[in-house]
Amino acid sequence: MHLLSAQAGAIQQEGEAIDLKQRPGALIFASSADSELAMLAGAADRAGEGELRLANTLRLSNNLSVDLWLEQTVTHARLVVLRLIGGAAYFQYGVDELTALCANRKIPLALLPGDANPDPILQSRSTIHPDDWNRLHGLFVAGGPDNADTILRAFNALSSPLPSGERSAAQPPGEGALLVDLVPQPFARFGLWHPTTGMTDEAGLRAIHRPGAAHVPILFYRAALEGAGTATIEALIAELEAQGLAPVPLLVSSLKEAPCIRFVQQALTAFPPVAVFNLTGFALGIDGLDDKSNPFSTSDAPVIQLIQSGRSEAQWRADSQGLSSKDMAMFLVMPEVDGRLGGLIVGHKADAVWHDRCQVPLTAYTPDAPGITRAVSLAANWSRLRSTPSADRRIAIVLANYPIRDGRLANGVGYDAPQSTVEMLRALEGAGYALSPRPSGERSAAQPPGEGALPDSSADLIAFLQSGPTNANPQRGTTPATLTLARYATLFAALPAPIRDAVTARWGHPATDPFVRGDAFHLPALIFGNVAILLQPARGYQLDETTTYHDPALVPPHAYLAAYLWL
């Protein structure tokens, strides 16, 4: 094992060993939550406390990092407190080594869960009085600056030697707890907030809104206020207001606590949204929840998932994956299970700023300006769509064609995609969307598309598709979907230069594309009034099938781009 020369302020994504290089201190606190570290650093500044040492457990992901930290810093402490999100298993080596060290050196140890639920296993491995454990846990759950000041007083009380001069790791039975006089102060677990007012109510928020502006709630964790991590939220609010929308910032401690669920439901009723921004992570399993347990049950607005990367912008840009595996799971993959849209990056961890008093690099989220603009523009688009009558809305349905043979049009594993498409067309027609009216009299299943007839069955739909161009037969039949080469050139020129260069280098001039006839692309699509059905264009042609389907480095041909530019 080697100690790499890495910056102590950089979260080590791959777990390489780093040296925190902390001076010894009497009070040790570690957590993976930057907001908690910032909150306690603020309390130390207010109290002038010079003995508090803070550490982010994400920077202790390598066992050697833990060993160095214990040897250089923790071994000199008079109290050690850990907050563990997910329990001991997420910091197993650190918990085991800290437990052994504190037992050997008779240092009081408090292992606390990272949420509001008591953890009997962590309590059993702690060595402070059970009443003190519960009181300390309650102070963290209550949160906020006032309780942070009280937590610091609790640390000092728990670290003080006993009157006899001896200091035991475990409070002797009958001796009594030390924190009986420390009472958590109320700090809202949910509520309305705005940067110009702080915590507010419905009337206060309405006074800020422009009359008639469409509402866009922003759901975010209460921890953002505890650790001064509101820069991204404030940027979203400012951009929403600049685009004529009414932000409704909703802070919650969790979307799984009943009071928070009721608050969100009531807020979405009081401020009917055109879209909802969500900055919280994980999945709720909405498909298995009843309306009472679903925070979004009082609204049918789309929930747009926003992501603040746990990496700096430089790290995010340098990695082809972008997000860390943890961020991808918590803020992209799992929210998709709940049907949330987007997955847009709106913020990054800022470069750490060294807090000398507590010997820790503190980080906060900073806005990603282009991401903020993209997110708000998407909300504005949803607002415009929501106010557009159904008859004026234009819908595109894209069907798979994998492998690219006519026998695999609209192919899907385990379901009937062609018949599902027919049912969707019927549902859209019934909901008032403008589809071409059915002609009177009999209609042949092979009636040419674009003449107003809707398919009655999956066989009809496939016959329509096979009467025009497809990936397997791009020159066949006619299509109502064309894009001239001149128009394509204009749209293509607006794409980033690296994309243009790569596509042209691989596929040559657009006029040579198999879907081009004369001076235009003839695309594999059907049009029924305001609804278009498009076959997913092939990612390549005249190539080995494995390369066409699975090579991530293969740039798409011109027809692929043309189809989506046409949409």
Side-chain angles (χ1 to χ4, degrees), residues 53-101:
R53 298 294 176 264
L54 303 174
N56 191 318
T57 55
L58 296 178
R59 297 188 172 93
L60 297 169
S61 58
N62 187 289
N63 293 353
L64 181 54
S65 299
V66 174
D67 295 340
L68 289 167
W69 181 53
L70 266 60
E71 177 184 344
Q72 297 175 5
T73 305
V74 180
T75 189
H76 305 284
R78 298 202 307 269
L79 174 72
V80 176
V81 179
L82 263 69
R83 280 263 282 175
L84 297 163
I85 297 175
Y90 285 84
F91 190 50
Q92 193 65 62
Y93 181 80
V95 169
D96 292 343
E97 293 300 305
L98 280 168
T99 301
L101 175 67

Short mmCIF file of all heavy atoms in Angstrom, two decimals, residues 53-101:
data_model
loop_
_atom_site.label_atom_id
_atom_site.label_comp_id
_atom_site.label_asym_id
_atom_site.label_seq_id
_atom_site.Cartn_x
_atom_site.Cartn_y
_atom_site.Cartn_z
N ARG A 53 -11.88 19.22 16.19
CA ARG A 53 -11.32 18.75 14.92
C ARG A 53 -12.43 18.05 14.13
O ARG A 53 -13.10 17.14 14.65
CB ARG A 53 -10.16 17.77 15.15
CG ARG A 53 -8.99 18.39 15.89
CD ARG A 53 -8.31 19.48 15.08
NE ARG A 53 -7.25 20.13 15.83
CZ ARG A 53 -7.40 21.27 16.50
NH1 ARG A 53 -8.58 21.89 16.50
NH2 ARG A 53 -6.39 21.80 17.14
N LEU A 54 -12.61 18.46 12.89
CA LEU A 54 -13.67 17.92 12.04
C LEU A 54 -13.05 17.13 10.90
O LEU A 54 -12.00 17.51 10.38
CB LEU A 54 -14.52 19.05 11.46
CG LEU A 54 -15.19 19.99 12.48
CD1 LEU A 54 -15.88 21.15 11.75
CD2 LEU A 54 -16.19 19.23 13.34
N ALA A 55 -13.71 16.04 10.51
CA ALA A 55 -13.21 15.22 9.40
C ALA A 55 -14.39 14.70 8.58
O ALA A 55 -15.44 14.35 9.14
CB ALA A 55 -12.38 14.05 9.93
N ASN A 56 -14.20 14.65 7.27
CA ASN A 56 -15.19 14.07 6.37
C ASN A 56 -14.83 12.61 6.15
O ASN A 56 -13.74 12.30 5.67
CB ASN A 56 -15.21 14.82 5.04
CG ASN A 56 -16.39 14.44 4.17
OD1 ASN A 56 -16.74 13.27 4.06
ND2 ASN A 56 -17.00 15.43 3.54
N THR A 57 -15.74 11.70 6.49
CA THR A 57 -15.43 10.28 6.37
C THR A 57 -15.22 9.86 4.91
O THR A 57 -14.59 8.82 4.65
CB THR A 57 -16.56 9.42 6.98
OG1 THR A 57 -17.81 9.77 6.38
CG2 THR A 57 -16.64 9.63 8.48
N LEU A 58 -15.72 10.66 3.94
CA LEU A 58 -15.46 10.35 2.54
C LEU A 58 -13.98 10.50 2.20
O LEU A 58 -13.51 9.93 1.21
CB LEU A 58 -16.30 11.24 1.63
CG LEU A 58 -17.82 11.08 1.73
CD1 LEU A 58 -18.51 12.06 0.80
CD2 LEU A 58 -18.22 9.65 1.40
N ARG A 59 -13.26 11.28 3.00
CA ARG A 59 -11.82 11.43 2.80
C ARG A 59 -11.03 10.37 3.58
O ARG A 59 -9.81 10.41 3.60
CB ARG A 59 -11.39 12.83 3.20
CG ARG A 59 -12.02 13.92 2.36
CD ARG A 59 -11.43 15.29 2.66
NE ARG A 59 -11.93 16.25 1.71
CZ ARG A 59 -12.99 17.02 1.88
NH1 ARG A 59 -13.68 16.93 3.01
NH2 ARG A 59 -13.40 17.86 0.96
N LEU A 60 -11.77 9.48 4.22
CA LEU A 60 -11.14 8.40 4.97
C LEU A 60 -11.57 7.05 4.42
O LEU A 60 -11.73 6.08 5.15
CB LEU A 60 -11.53 8.51 6.46
CG LEU A 60 -11.05 9.78 7.18
CD1 LEU A 60 -11.72 9.91 8.53
CD2 LEU A 60 -9.53 9.76 7.34
N SER A 61 -11.76 6.99 3.10
CA SER A 61 -12.26 5.77 2.48
C SER A 61 -11.19 4.70 2.36
O SER A 61 -11.49 3.53 2.14
CB SER A 61 -12.84 6.07 1.10
OG SER A 61 -11.85 6.68 0.28
N ASN A 62 -9.93 5.08 2.51
CA ASN A 62 -8.83 4.12 2.46
C ASN A 62 -8.40 3.80 3.89
O ASN A 62 -8.29 4.68 4.73
CB ASN A 62 -7.66 4.71 1.67
CG ASN A 62 -6.56 3.71 1.44
OD1 ASN A 62 -5.85 3.34 2.37
ND2 ASN A 62 -6.39 3.28 0.20
N ASN A 63 -8.13 2.52 4.18
CA ASN A 63 -7.78 2.12 5.54
C ASN A 63 -6.53 2.84 6.05
O ASN A 63 -6.43 3.17 7.24
CB ASN A 63 -7.56 0.61 5.60
CG ASN A 63 -8.85 -0.16 5.37
OD1 ASN A 63 -9.92 0.43 5.29
ND2 ASN A 63 -8.74 -1.47 5.25
N LEU A 64 -5.57 3.08 5.17
CA LEU A 64 -4.36 3.77 5.60
C LEU A 64 -4.68 5.20 6.01
O LEU A 64 -4.07 5.73 6.95
CB LEU A 64 -3.31 3.74 4.49
CG LEU A 64 -1.97 4.42 4.81
CD1 LEU A 64 -1.36 3.86 6.09
CD2 LEU A 64 -1.02 4.29 3.63
N SER A 65 -5.62 5.82 5.35
CA SER A 65 -6.04 7.16 5.75
C SER A 65 -6.58 7.15 7.17
O SER A 65 -6.28 8.05 7.98
CB SER A 65 -7.12 7.69 4.79
OG SER A 65 -6.65 7.78 3.48
N VAL A 66 -7.37 6.13 7.48
CA VAL A 66 -7.91 5.99 8.84
C VAL A 66 -6.77 5.81 9.84
O VAL A 66 -6.73 6.46 10.90
CB VAL A 66 -8.90 4.81 8.92
CG1 VAL A 66 -9.35 4.58 10.36
CG2 VAL A 66 -10.10 5.07 8.03
N ASP A 67 -5.82 4.93 9.53
CA ASP A 67 -4.71 4.67 10.45
C ASP A 67 -3.91 5.94 10.74
O ASP A 67 -3.54 6.22 11.89
CB ASP A 67 -3.78 3.61 9.85
CG ASP A 67 -4.46 2.25 9.71
OD1 ASP A 67 -5.47 2.03 10.40
OD2 ASP A 67 -3.98 1.43 8.91
N LEU A 68 -3.62 6.72 9.70
CA LEU A 68 -2.86 7.96 9.89
C LEU A 68 -3.64 8.95 10.76
O LEU A 68 -3.07 9.60 11.64
CB LEU A 68 -2.56 8.58 8.52
CG LEU A 68 -1.52 7.86 7.66
CD1 LEU A 68 -1.56 8.41 6.25
CD2 LEU A 68 -0.13 8.03 8.26
N TRP A 69 -4.92 9.05 10.50
CA TRP A 69 -5.77 9.98 11.26
C TRP A 69 -5.82 9.59 12.73
O TRP A 69 -5.68 10.44 13.62
CB TRP A 69 -7.16 9.99 10.64
CG TRP A 69 -8.15 10.92 11.27
CD1 TRP A 69 -8.00 12.26 11.51
CD2 TRP A 69 -9.45 10.58 11.74
NE1 TRP A 69 -9.13 12.77 12.10
CE2 TRP A 69 -10.04 11.75 12.24
CE3 TRP A 69 -10.17 9.39 11.77
CZ2 TRP A 69 -11.33 11.77 12.78
CZ3 TRP A 69 -11.45 9.40 12.29
CH2 TRP A 69 -12.02 10.58 12.79
N LEU A 70 -6.00 8.30 12.99
CA LEU A 70 -6.05 7.84 14.38
C LEU A 70 -4.73 8.11 15.10
O LEU A 70 -4.71 8.59 16.23
CB LEU A 70 -6.39 6.35 14.44
CG LEU A 70 -7.85 5.97 14.61
CD1 LEU A 70 -8.71 6.51 13.47
CD2 LEU A 70 -8.02 4.45 14.71
N GLU A 71 -3.64 7.81 14.40
CA GLU A 71 -2.33 7.95 15.03
C GLU A 71 -1.97 9.41 15.30
O GLU A 71 -1.42 9.74 16.36
CB GLU A 71 -1.27 7.31 14.13
CG GLU A 71 0.16 7.44 14.64
CD GLU A 71 1.17 6.87 13.67
OE1 GLU A 71 0.76 6.13 12.76
OE2 GLU A 71 2.37 7.19 13.81
N GLN A 72 -2.28 10.28 14.36
CA GLN A 72 -1.81 11.66 14.47
C GLN A 72 -2.78 12.57 15.23
O GLN A 72 -2.37 13.57 15.80
CB GLN A 72 -1.58 12.23 13.07
CG GLN A 72 -0.49 11.50 12.30
CD GLN A 72 -0.35 12.00 10.86
OE1 GLN A 72 -1.02 12.95 10.46
NE2 GLN A 72 0.50 11.36 10.08
N THR A 73 -4.07 12.24 15.21
CA THR A 73 -5.06 13.17 15.75
C THR A 73 -5.93 12.55 16.83
O THR A 73 -6.00 13.05 17.96
CB THR A 73 -5.96 13.69 14.61
OG1 THR A 73 -5.15 14.25 13.59
CG2 THR A 73 -6.92 14.75 15.13
N VAL A 74 -6.59 11.44 16.52
CA VAL A 74 -7.62 10.91 17.41
C VAL A 74 -7.03 10.40 18.72
O VAL A 74 -7.66 10.52 19.77
CB VAL A 74 -8.41 9.79 16.70
CG1 VAL A 74 -9.49 9.22 17.62
CG2 VAL A 74 -9.03 10.32 15.42
N THR A 75 -5.83 9.83 18.66
CA THR A 75 -5.25 9.24 19.87
C THR A 75 -5.06 10.26 21.00
O THR A 75 -4.97 9.89 22.17
CB THR A 75 -3.90 8.58 19.53
OG1 THR A 75 -3.44 7.83 20.64
CG2 THR A 75 -2.86 9.63 19.14
N HIS A 76 -5.05 11.55 20.67
CA HIS A 76 -4.86 12.60 21.68
C HIS A 76 -6.18 13.18 22.17
O HIS A 76 -6.18 14.12 22.96
CB HIS A 76 -4.00 13.73 21.09
CG HIS A 76 -2.69 13.26 20.54
ND1 HIS A 76 -1.63 12.92 21.35
CD2 HIS A 76 -2.27 13.07 19.27
CE1 HIS A 76 -0.60 12.55 20.60
NE2 HIS A 76 -0.97 12.62 19.32
N ALA A 77 -7.32 12.65 21.69
CA ALA A 77 -8.61 13.27 21.97
C ALA A 77 -9.16 12.91 23.35
O ALA A 77 -8.71 11.94 24.00
CB ALA A 77 -9.62 12.85 20.90
N ARG A 78 -10.14 13.68 23.79
CA ARG A 78 -10.89 13.38 25.02
C ARG A 78 -12.34 13.00 24.72
O ARG A 78 -13.09 12.64 25.60
CB ARG A 78 -10.85 14.58 25.97
CG ARG A 78 -9.46 14.96 26.45
CD ARG A 78 -9.51 15.76 27.75
NE ARG A 78 -10.41 16.91 27.67
CZ ARG A 78 -10.04 18.14 27.30
NH1 ARG A 78 -8.79 18.36 26.96
NH2 ARG A 78 -10.91 19.12 27.27
N LEU A 79 -12.74 13.11 23.43
CA LEU A 79 -14.08 12.70 23.02
C LEU A 79 -14.06 12.47 21.51
O LEU A 79 -13.47 13.25 20.76
CB LEU A 79 -15.13 13.76 23.35
CG LEU A 79 -16.54 13.49 22.82
CD1 LEU A 79 -17.21 12.35 23.60
CD2 LEU A 79 -17.41 14.75 22.86
N VAL A 80 -14.74 11.40 21.06
CA VAL A 80 -14.88 11.12 19.63
C VAL A 80 -16.37 10.90 19.34
O VAL A 80 -17.03 10.09 20.00
CB VAL A 80 -14.08 9.87 19.20
CG1 VAL A 80 -14.34 9.55 17.73
CG2 VAL A 80 -12.60 10.07 19.46
N VAL A 81 -16.87 11.64 18.33
CA VAL A 81 -18.27 11.51 17.92
C VAL A 81 -18.31 11.29 16.40
O VAL A 81 -17.67 12.04 15.65
CB VAL A 81 -19.09 12.77 18.29
CG1 VAL A 81 -20.54 12.61 17.84
CG2 VAL A 81 -19.02 13.03 19.79
N LEU A 82 -19.05 10.29 15.95
CA LEU A 82 -19.24 10.02 14.52
C LEU A 82 -20.72 10.03 14.19
O LEU A 82 -21.53 9.48 14.93
CB LEU A 82 -18.67 8.65 14.13
CG LEU A 82 -17.26 8.61 13.53
CD1 LEU A 82 -16.25 8.97 14.61
CD2 LEU A 82 -16.98 7.24 12.95
N ARG A 83 -21.08 10.66 13.07
CA ARG A 83 -22.43 10.55 12.50
C ARG A 83 -22.30 9.70 11.25
O ARG A 83 -21.55 10.03 10.32
CB ARG A 83 -22.99 11.93 12.16
CG ARG A 83 -23.53 12.68 13.36
CD ARG A 83 -25.03 12.52 13.49
NE ARG A 83 -25.75 13.37 12.56
CZ ARG A 83 -27.08 13.35 12.41
NH1 ARG A 83 -27.82 12.50 13.10
NH2 ARG A 83 -27.67 14.15 11.55
N LEU A 84 -23.06 8.61 11.20
CA LEU A 84 -22.89 7.61 10.16
C LEU A 84 -24.16 7.44 9.35
O LEU A 84 -25.14 6.86 9.83
CB LEU A 84 -22.47 6.27 10.78
CG LEU A 84 -21.12 6.30 11.51
CD1 LEU A 84 -20.99 5.10 12.44
CD2 LEU A 84 -19.98 6.32 10.51
N ILE A 85 -24.16 7.96 8.13
CA ILE A 85 -25.29 7.78 7.23
C ILE A 85 -25.27 6.35 6.71
O ILE A 85 -24.30 5.93 6.10
CB ILE A 85 -25.24 8.78 6.07
CG1 ILE A 85 -25.35 10.21 6.59
CG2 ILE A 85 -26.33 8.50 5.05
CD1 ILE A 85 -25.18 11.28 5.53
N GLY A 86 -26.32 5.60 6.97
CA GLY A 86 -26.40 4.22 6.52
C GLY A 86 -25.87 3.21 7.52
O GLY A 86 -25.89 2.01 7.25
N GLY A 87 -25.40 3.68 8.67
CA GLY A 87 -24.92 2.76 9.69
C GLY A 87 -23.43 2.48 9.61
O GLY A 87 -22.71 3.02 8.76
N ALA A 88 -22.96 1.60 10.49
CA ALA A 88 -21.53 1.32 10.60
C ALA A 88 -20.96 0.67 9.35
O ALA A 88 -19.77 0.81 9.05
CB ALA A 88 -21.27 0.42 11.81
N ALA A 89 -21.80 -0.04 8.59
CA ALA A 89 -21.29 -0.78 7.43
C ALA A 89 -20.67 0.14 6.38
O ALA A 89 -19.83 -0.30 5.60
CB ALA A 89 -22.42 -1.60 6.80
N TYR A 90 -21.08 1.42 6.35
CA TYR A 90 -20.55 2.34 5.35
C TYR A 90 -19.21 2.95 5.78
O TYR A 90 -18.61 3.70 5.02
CB TYR A 90 -21.57 3.45 5.07
CG TYR A 90 -22.72 2.98 4.22
CD1 TYR A 90 -23.82 2.34 4.77
CD2 TYR A 90 -22.70 3.14 2.82
CE1 TYR A 90 -24.86 1.89 3.98
CE2 TYR A 90 -23.73 2.69 2.03
CZ TYR A 90 -24.81 2.07 2.62
OH TYR A 90 -25.83 1.61 1.84
N PHE A 91 -18.76 2.65 7.00
CA PHE A 91 -17.45 3.11 7.46
C PHE A 91 -16.90 2.05 8.40
O PHE A 91 -16.45 2.35 9.50
CB PHE A 91 -17.60 4.48 8.14
CG PHE A 91 -16.30 5.18 8.45
CD1 PHE A 91 -15.32 5.35 7.49
CD2 PHE A 91 -16.06 5.70 9.72
CE1 PHE A 91 -14.13 6.00 7.78
CE2 PHE A 91 -14.89 6.36 10.02
CZ PHE A 91 -13.92 6.51 9.05
N GLN A 92 -16.95 0.78 7.98
CA GLN A 92 -16.73 -0.34 8.88
C GLN A 92 -15.33 -0.33 9.50
O GLN A 92 -15.18 -0.47 10.71
CB GLN A 92 -16.96 -1.65 8.14
CG GLN A 92 -17.05 -2.86 9.07
CD GLN A 92 -18.26 -2.79 9.99
OE1 GLN A 92 -19.38 -2.78 9.53
NE2 GLN A 92 -18.02 -2.73 11.30
N TYR A 93 -14.31 -0.17 8.66
CA TYR A 93 -12.95 -0.20 9.20
C TYR A 93 -12.74 0.94 10.19
O TYR A 93 -12.17 0.75 11.26
CB TYR A 93 -11.93 -0.12 8.06
CG TYR A 93 -10.50 -0.17 8.53
CD1 TYR A 93 -9.89 -1.38 8.84
CD2 TYR A 93 -9.74 1.00 8.65
CE1 TYR A 93 -8.57 -1.44 9.27
CE2 TYR A 93 -8.42 0.96 9.08
CZ TYR A 93 -7.84 -0.26 9.39
OH TYR A 93 -6.53 -0.31 9.82
N GLY A 94 -13.21 2.13 9.82
CA GLY A 94 -13.05 3.27 10.71
C GLY A 94 -13.76 3.05 12.04
O GLY A 94 -13.21 3.37 13.10
N VAL A 95 -14.97 2.52 11.99
CA VAL A 95 -15.71 2.27 13.24
C VAL A 95 -14.99 1.26 14.11
O VAL A 95 -14.84 1.44 15.33
CB VAL A 95 -17.15 1.80 12.91
CG1 VAL A 95 -17.84 1.29 14.18
CG2 VAL A 95 -17.95 2.93 12.30
N ASP A 96 -14.53 0.18 13.49
CA ASP A 96 -13.84 -0.87 14.27
C ASP A 96 -12.57 -0.34 14.92
O ASP A 96 -12.29 -0.59 16.10
CB ASP A 96 -13.52 -2.06 13.36
CG ASP A 96 -14.75 -2.81 12.90
OD1 ASP A 96 -15.83 -2.62 13.52
OD2 ASP A 96 -14.66 -3.57 11.91
N GLU A 97 -11.77 0.40 14.15
CA GLU A 97 -10.51 0.91 14.69
C GLU A 97 -10.73 1.99 15.74
O GLU A 97 -10.03 2.05 16.76
CB GLU A 97 -9.65 1.45 13.56
CG GLU A 97 -9.15 0.38 12.59
CD GLU A 97 -8.31 -0.67 13.29
OE1 GLU A 97 -7.31 -0.28 13.95
OE2 GLU A 97 -8.64 -1.86 13.20
N LEU A 98 -11.72 2.84 15.52
CA LEU A 98 -12.04 3.86 16.52
C LEU A 98 -12.54 3.22 17.81
O LEU A 98 -12.18 3.66 18.92
CB LEU A 98 -13.09 4.83 15.98
CG LEU A 98 -12.58 5.93 15.05
CD1 LEU A 98 -13.74 6.62 14.35
CD2 LEU A 98 -11.77 6.97 15.84
N THR A 99 -13.38 2.21 17.68
CA THR A 99 -13.89 1.52 18.86
C THR A 99 -12.75 0.93 19.68
O THR A 99 -12.70 1.07 20.92
CB THR A 99 -14.87 0.41 18.44
OG1 THR A 99 -15.95 0.99 17.70
CG2 THR A 99 -15.42 -0.31 19.66
N ALA A 100 -11.79 0.28 19.00
CA ALA A 100 -10.66 -0.32 19.72
C ALA A 100 -9.78 0.75 20.35
O ALA A 100 -9.37 0.62 21.52
CB ALA A 100 -9.85 -1.17 18.74
N LEU A 101 -9.48 1.81 19.60
CA LEU A 101 -8.62 2.87 20.13
C LEU A 101 -9.25 3.54 21.34
O LEU A 101 -8.59 3.76 22.37
CB LEU A 101 -8.34 3.90 19.04
CG LEU A 101 -7.54 5.14 19.47
CD1 LEU A 101 -6.11 4.75 19.84
CD2 LEU A 101 -7.53 6.19 18.38
#
